[in-house]
Amino acid sequence: MPMKLNVGDIVKLKKKHPCGGYEWEILRIGADFRIKCNTCERQVWLPRKEVERRITKIVSSIETEEEK
C-alpha cells in the first residue's frame, strides 16, 4: 500500500544529495514523484517505488482536507 505523502511534505532520504543535503520537499505525487533538495534547490524525478524505499523519516507533513 502506498505511503500517505502529500505535496509540500518534507522527507529525509537514506542517501545524501551530492550537495550534502538529506531533506527533500515533495513537489508532485503520482506514479512519479518530483522532489526538490532543500539545500541546493535541485529538482529530480523518481518513481514512487524508489522514493518510498529511500524515505527514512517524514520531517514535516501537510494535512489535506480529507485527512482532517
Side-chain angles (χ1 to χ4, degrees), residues 14-56:
K14 291 179 186 175
K15 293 183 179 180
K16 67 179 177 178
H17 191 244
C19 72
Y22 282 97
E23 292 186 359
W24 297 77
E25 179 181 358
I26 298 174
L27 300 177
R28 181 187 181 280
I29 56 176
D32 292 325
F33 274 50
R34 187 173 80 204
I35 58 177
K36 177 179 76 172
C37 178
N38 284 349
T39 306
C40 69
E41 306 290 318
R42 177 71 54 134
Q43 296 181 16
V44 296
W45 288 81
L46 290 172
R48 173 183 283 273
K49 195 173 190 177
E50 187 73 19
V51 172
E52 289 179 351
R53 186 176 62 83
R54 289 185 181 189
I55 290 177
T56 59

Side-chain angles (χ1 to χ4, degrees), residues 1-25:
M1 185 164 165
M3 294 175 72
K4 301 283 185 194
L5 297 169
N6 299 306
V7 173
D9 288 355
I10 307 293
V11 295
K12 182 177 179 185
L13 301 184
K14 291 179 186 175
K15 293 183 179 180
K16 67 179 177 178
H17 191 244
C19 72
Y22 282 97
E23 292 186 359
W24 297 77
E25 179 181 358

